[in-house]
Amino acid sequence: MSDSNLDSYVVRPIRPDEWRAVKELRLVALQDPAAPVAFLETYEKALTHPDSFWQERAAGSSHGGEARQFVAEAADGTWVGSAVVLIEKAGSTDWAGFSVERDQGHIVGVFVRPEWRGSGVTKGLFEAGVEWAWERGVEAVRLIVHEDNPRAQGFYRKVGFVPTGKTVPLPGQEGEIELEFVLEKP
């Protein structure tokens, strides 16, 4: 891939009928060397999901209800990156069992294909996701990142997220923690 092609992509929400592409990119992400510290799911577990799982996932994150998946699509149609934003309502409980204190967005499932890293794709995905969350009326957008993922932490800081000091123990990973980063609404 030439460097000139690295500028040629668009960021957009997924469509419900794109479940096969959702599945394909997720399986690629789960095979990345950083996957053990980037995702809670394993490649082996993801392979066991039936097509109906992927269809429901795509449908649920394409219409902008409580979740929205954004993809970066290259000029040739290849999905080169993705990020999902979940809306967490005040008074609910998050995935880790903590009480949600305010309406907030939660960025999860961030992945960019290795050959596209450093090209601005991740920033574009974050801009689209954060803007969508602001439009939904949230007060902040957060994310959780593994303590042993300094590359991701550096990027999050670069785009304005700051560590809150809150830690989340990893289920089934004794002694490992994830760190919460937050971007407050301007």
Side-chain angles (χ1 to χ4, degrees):
M1 176 177 303
S2 72
D3 287 343
S4 63
N5 289 338
L6 291 180
D7 292 333
S8 185
Y9 68 91
V10 295
V11 174
R12 64 170 179 83
I14 67 163
R15 295 184 301 269
D17 64 338
E18 294 178 312
W19 66 269
R20 286 180 184 87
V22 169
K23 176 181 178 180
E24 186 271 334
L25 190 60
R26 178 67 172 183
L27 292 175
V28 169
L30 292 172
Q31 293 176 79
D32 189 89
V37 295
F39 305 108
L40 297 177
E41 183 178 40
T42 65
Y43 175 75
E44 293 74 23
K45 173 66 177 159
L47 284 176
T48 68
H49 297 314
D51 287 348
S52 60
F53 171 88
W54 300 103
Q55 292 163 352
E56 290 169 18
R57 179 176 265 193
S61 62
S62 63
H63 294 300
E66 297 302 310
R68 195 82 191 252
Q69 182 172 357
F70 293 89
V71 294
E73 185 176 29
D76 67 1
T78 302
W79 284 13
V80 299
S82 177
V84 177
V85 182
L86 309 173
I87 300 298
E88 299 173 326
K89 294 292 189 180
S92 65
T93 303
D94 71 9
W95 66 271
F98 293 104
S99 178
V100 176
E101 297 174 9
R102 60 184 174 171
D103 290 353
Q104 60 192 16
H106 186 163
I107 298 177
V108 299
V110 178
F111 176 72
V112 172
R113 292 180 189 268
E115 64 272 22
W116 284 80
R117 292 177 187 157
S119 68
V121 168
T122 310
K123 185 173 187 268
L125 289 165
F126 267 63
E127 287 172 353
V130 167
E131 181 62 31
W132 177 77
W134 294 155
E135 290 169 2
R136 304 276 301 154
V138 302
E139 297 175 37
V141 176
R142 73 175 184 143
L143 53 85
I144 309 292
V145 60
H146 196 283
E147 64 183 333
D148 294 333
N149 195 345
R151 180 181 177 160
Q153 290 177 40
F155 171 79
Y156 301 146
R157 282 184 172 96
K158 185 176 177 181
V159 295
F161 285 76
V162 296
T164 65
K166 183 176 181 180
T167 61
V168 179
L170 277 167
Q173 309 279 334
E174 191 64 36
E176 292 187 40
I177 60 169
E178 294 197 309
L179 312 171
E180 181 184 64
F181 281 61
V182 171
L183 178 66
E184 298 291 337
K185 189 169 187 175

